[in-house]
Amino acid sequence: MAERALRGTRLGATSYENDRNTDLAPRQEVTYDCTRGHKFSVTFATEAEVPVEWECRFCGDRARRRDGEGEEPKNVKPVRTHWDMLLERRSMEDLEEVLAERLEVLRARRREEAAKVEELADQQ
């Protein structure tokens, strides 16, 4: 019997459940204002943590909550780059010295490779 009831249907594509005797989660509607003047609303569950900023659905800019409630973004210290950490360990004079040494090593290596290429060309 069950085989006949499901014959010809696309399993997984359609839900056979109905909304009868079910309660939806309580919801709240939050209004956001875009920096370009767009206004829109987003529906959240009442127990959800509502963000202060949301991407504008019209232009993609940042939009802020109209009521102004919610926590402000935390002040995060800027990310330290590799260069910043290097400058903490060495002075500019030290770095210029290291650079000169490395450039000399690279130039010597290139001179050796050029000499080998010339040697091979002479042998042929």
PDB file of all heavy atoms in Angstrom, residues 65-81:
ATOM      1  N   ARG A  65      20.462  49.574  13.229  1.00  0.00           N
ATOM      2  CA  ARG A  65      19.117  49.446  13.805  1.00  0.00           C
ATOM      3  C   ARG A  65      18.504  50.815  14.014  1.00  0.00           C
ATOM      4  O   ARG A  65      19.166  51.750  14.456  1.00  0.00           O
ATOM      5  CB  ARG A  65      19.188  48.731  15.150  1.00  0.00           C
ATOM      6  CG  ARG A  65      19.412  47.254  15.008  1.00  0.00           C
ATOM      7  CD  ARG A  65      19.507  46.584  16.327  1.00  0.00           C
ATOM      8  NE  ARG A  65      18.255  46.679  17.067  1.00  0.00           N
ATOM      9  CZ  ARG A  65      18.023  46.039  18.193  1.00  0.00           C
ATOM     10  NH1 ARG A  65      18.961  45.281  18.704  1.00  0.00           N
ATOM     11  NH2 ARG A  65      16.886  46.166  18.805  1.00  0.00           N
ATOM     12  N   ARG A  66      17.242  50.920  13.697  1.00  0.00           N
ATOM     13  CA  ARG A  66      16.561  52.200  13.831  1.00  0.00           C
ATOM     14  C   ARG A  66      16.403  52.590  15.296  1.00  0.00           C
ATOM     15  O   ARG A  66      16.580  53.747  15.658  1.00  0.00           O
ATOM     16  CB  ARG A  66      15.180  52.119  13.178  1.00  0.00           C
ATOM     17  CG  ARG A  66      14.406  53.414  13.323  1.00  0.00           C
ATOM     18  CD  ARG A  66      13.125  53.376  12.590  1.00  0.00           C
ATOM     19  NE  ARG A  66      13.423  53.575  11.175  1.00  0.00           N
ATOM     20  CZ  ARG A  66      12.506  53.589  10.234  1.00  0.00           C
ATOM     21  NH1 ARG A  66      11.256  53.392  10.543  1.00  0.00           N
ATOM     22  NH2 ARG A  66      12.841  53.776   8.992  1.00  0.00           N
ATOM     23  N   ASP A  67      16.089  51.639  16.163  1.00  0.00           N
ATOM     24  CA  ASP A  67      15.866  51.969  17.576  1.00  0.00           C
ATOM     25  C   ASP A  67      17.165  52.235  18.324  1.00  0.00           C
ATOM     26  O   ASP A  67      17.146  52.709  19.456  1.00  0.00           O
ATOM     27  CB  ASP A  67      15.059  50.881  18.276  1.00  0.00           C
ATOM     28  CG  ASP A  67      15.714  49.513  18.168  1.00  0.00           C
ATOM     29  OD1 ASP A  67      16.866  49.432  17.721  1.00  0.00           O
ATOM     30  OD2 ASP A  67      15.057  48.530  18.541  1.00  0.00           O
ATOM     31  N   GLY A  68      18.310  51.913  17.714  1.00  0.00           N
ATOM     32  CA  GLY A  68      19.600  52.214  18.329  1.00  0.00           C
ATOM     33  C   GLY A  68      19.948  51.326  19.497  1.00  0.00           C
ATOM     34  O   GLY A  68      20.944  51.543  20.175  1.00  0.00           O
ATOM     35  N   GLU A  69      19.138  50.319  19.768  1.00  0.00           N
ATOM     36  CA  GLU A  69      19.436  49.410  20.881  1.00  0.00           C
ATOM     37  C   GLU A  69      20.508  48.424  20.470  1.00  0.00           C
ATOM     38  O   GLU A  69      20.872  48.314  19.314  1.00  0.00           O
ATOM     39  CB  GLU A  69      18.174  48.648  21.296  1.00  0.00           C
ATOM     40  CG  GLU A  69      17.157  49.506  21.995  1.00  0.00           C
ATOM     41  CD  GLU A  69      15.958  48.694  22.436  1.00  0.00           C
ATOM     42  OE1 GLU A  69      16.057  47.463  22.492  1.00  0.00           O
ATOM     43  OE2 GLU A  69      14.930  49.300  22.712  1.00  0.00           O
ATOM     44  N   GLY A  70      20.961  47.677  21.433  1.00  0.00           N
ATOM     45  CA  GLY A  70      21.963  46.653  21.158  1.00  0.00           C
ATOM     46  C   GLY A  70      23.336  47.122  21.556  1.00  0.00           C
ATOM     47  O   GLY A  70      23.568  48.284  21.865  1.00  0.00           O
ATOM     48  N   GLU A  71      24.239  46.192  21.540  1.00  0.00           N
ATOM     49  CA  GLU A  71      25.595  46.507  21.958  1.00  0.00           C
ATOM     50  C   GLU A  71      26.374  47.118  20.807  1.00  0.00           C
ATOM     51  O   GLU A  71      26.208  46.764  19.653  1.00  0.00           O
ATOM     52  CB  GLU A  71      26.287  45.243  22.454  1.00  0.00           C
ATOM     53  CG  GLU A  71      26.325  44.141  21.426  1.00  0.00           C
ATOM     54  CD  GLU A  71      26.764  42.834  22.011  1.00  0.00           C
ATOM     55  OE1 GLU A  71      26.241  42.454  23.049  1.00  0.00           O
ATOM     56  OE2 GLU A  71      27.649  42.218  21.397  1.00  0.00           O
ATOM     57  N   GLU A  72      27.177  48.062  21.136  1.00  0.00           N
ATOM     58  CA  GLU A  72      28.043  48.700  20.150  1.00  0.00           C
ATOM     59  C   GLU A  72      29.192  47.749  19.839  1.00  0.00           C
ATOM     60  O   GLU A  72      29.583  46.944  20.683  1.00  0.00           O
ATOM     61  CB  GLU A  72      28.594  50.010  20.706  1.00  0.00           C
ATOM     62  CG  GLU A  72      27.558  51.102  20.807  1.00  0.00           C
ATOM     63  CD  GLU A  72      27.026  51.534  19.456  1.00  0.00           C
ATOM     64  OE1 GLU A  72      27.833  51.661  18.514  1.00  0.00           O
ATOM     65  OE2 GLU A  72      25.811  51.717  19.342  1.00  0.00           O
ATOM     66  N   PRO A  73      29.737  47.834  18.645  1.00  0.00           N
ATOM     67  CA  PRO A  73      30.882  46.978  18.339  1.00  0.00           C
ATOM     68  C   PRO A  73      32.038  47.262  19.295  1.00  0.00           C
ATOM     69  O   PRO A  73      32.307  48.410  19.623  1.00  0.00           O
ATOM     70  CB  PRO A  73      31.263  47.361  16.910  1.00  0.00           C
ATOM     71  CG  PRO A  73      30.266  48.345  16.437  1.00  0.00           C
ATOM     72  CD  PRO A  73      29.345  48.676  17.560  1.00  0.00           C
ATOM     73  N   LYS A  74      32.689  46.211  19.738  1.00  0.00           N
ATOM     74  CA  LYS A  74      33.785  46.351  20.691  1.00  0.00           C
ATOM     75  C   LYS A  74      34.996  46.973  20.009  1.00  0.00           C
ATOM     76  O   LYS A  74      35.252  46.751  18.832  1.00  0.00           O
ATOM     77  CB  LYS A  74      34.165  44.984  21.237  1.00  0.00           C
ATOM     78  CG  LYS A  74      33.047  44.336  22.011  1.00  0.00           C
ATOM     79  CD  LYS A  74      33.439  42.951  22.451  1.00  0.00           C
ATOM     80  CE  LYS A  74      32.283  42.292  23.168  1.00  0.00           C
ATOM     81  NZ  LYS A  74      32.555  40.903  23.452  1.00  0.00           N
ATOM     82  N   ASN A  75      35.723  47.768  20.778  1.00  0.00           N
ATOM     83  CA  ASN A  75      36.959  48.334  20.254  1.00  0.00           C
ATOM     84  C   ASN A  75      38.007  47.237  20.200  1.00  0.00           C
ATOM     85  O   ASN A  75      38.408  46.693  21.223  1.00  0.00           O
ATOM     86  CB  ASN A  75      37.459  49.481  21.140  1.00  0.00           C
ATOM     87  CG  ASN A  75      36.581  50.697  21.029  1.00  0.00           C
ATOM     88  OD1 ASN A  75      35.890  50.869  20.029  1.00  0.00           O
ATOM     89  ND2 ASN A  75      36.599  51.537  22.035  1.00  0.00           N
ATOM     90  N   VAL A  76      38.423  46.925  19.009  1.00  0.00           N
ATOM     91  CA  VAL A  76      39.401  45.869  18.808  1.00  0.00           C
ATOM     92  C   VAL A  76      40.715  46.530  18.419  1.00  0.00           C
ATOM     93  O   VAL A  76      40.750  47.408  17.568  1.00  0.00           O
ATOM     94  CB  VAL A  76      38.942  44.919  17.686  1.00  0.00           C
ATOM     95  CG1 VAL A  76      39.946  43.807  17.487  1.00  0.00           C
ATOM     96  CG2 VAL A  76      37.569  44.368  17.980  1.00  0.00           C
ATOM     97  N   LYS A  77      41.775  46.111  19.087  1.00  0.00           N
ATOM     98  CA  LYS A  77      43.055  46.722  18.739  1.00  0.00           C
ATOM     99  C   LYS A  77      43.458  46.244  17.349  1.00  0.00           C
ATOM    100  O   LYS A  77      43.140  45.129  16.940  1.00  0.00           O
ATOM    101  CB  LYS A  77      44.116  46.413  19.774  1.00  0.00           C
ATOM    102  CG  LYS A  77      44.460  44.973  19.982  1.00  0.00           C
ATOM    103  CD  LYS A  77      45.499  44.872  21.079  1.00  0.00           C
ATOM    104  CE  LYS A  77      46.014  43.451  21.165  1.00  0.00           C
ATOM    105  NZ  LYS A  77      47.040  43.314  22.176  1.00  0.00           N
ATOM    106  N   PRO A  78      44.132  47.105  16.593  1.00  0.00           N
ATOM    107  CA  PRO A  78      44.470  46.764  15.207  1.00  0.00           C
ATOM    108  C   PRO A  78      45.391  45.549  15.143  1.00  0.00           C
ATOM    109  O   PRO A  78      46.190  45.294  16.038  1.00  0.00           O
ATOM    110  CB  PRO A  78      45.176  48.018  14.689  1.00  0.00           C
ATOM    111  CG  PRO A  78      45.565  48.794  15.899  1.00  0.00           C
ATOM    112  CD  PRO A  78      44.621  48.412  16.992  1.00  0.00           C
ATOM    113  N   VAL A  79      45.252  44.831  14.067  1.00  0.00           N
ATOM    114  CA  VAL A  79      46.055  43.633  13.869  1.00  0.00           C
ATOM    115  C   VAL A  79      47.503  44.030  13.614  1.00  0.00           C
ATOM    116  O   VAL A  79      47.780  44.936  12.842  1.00  0.00           O
ATOM    117  CB  VAL A  79      45.517  42.842  12.651  1.00  0.00           C
ATOM    118  CG1 VAL A  79      46.367  41.616  12.404  1.00  0.00           C
ATOM    119  CG2 VAL A  79      44.070  42.467  12.875  1.00  0.00           C
ATOM    120  N   ARG A  80      48.397  43.350  14.306  1.00  0.00           N
ATOM    121  CA  ARG A  80      49.828  43.617  14.101  1.00  0.00           C
ATOM    122  C   ARG A  80      50.295  42.818  12.899  1.00  0.00           C
ATOM    123  O   ARG A  80      50.121  41.613  12.829  1.00  0.00           O
ATOM    124  CB  ARG A  80      50.618  43.203  15.329  1.00  0.00           C
ATOM    125  CG  ARG A  80      50.439  44.155  16.474  1.00  0.00           C
ATOM    126  CD  ARG A  80      51.206  43.786  17.702  1.00  0.00           C
ATOM    127  NE  ARG A  80      52.330  42.904  17.488  1.00  0.00           N
ATOM    128  CZ  ARG A  80      52.916  42.207  18.430  1.00  0.00           C
ATOM    129  NH1 ARG A  80      52.492  42.284  19.670  1.00  0.00           N
ATOM    130  NH2 ARG A  80      53.930  41.423  18.167  1.00  0.00           N
ATOM    131  N   THR A  81      50.903  43.507  11.975  1.00  0.00           N
ATOM    132  CA  THR A  81      51.425  42.839  10.792  1.00  0.00           C
ATOM    133  C   THR A  81      52.834  42.312  11.057  1.00  0.00           C
ATOM    134  O   THR A  81      53.441  42.624  12.087  1.00  0.00           O
ATOM    135  CB  THR A  81      51.468  43.815   9.598  1.00  0.00           C
ATOM    136  OG1 THR A  81      52.372  44.880   9.917  1.00  0.00           O
ATOM    137  CG2 THR A  81      50.091  44.384   9.296  1.00  0.00           C
TER     138      THR A  81
END
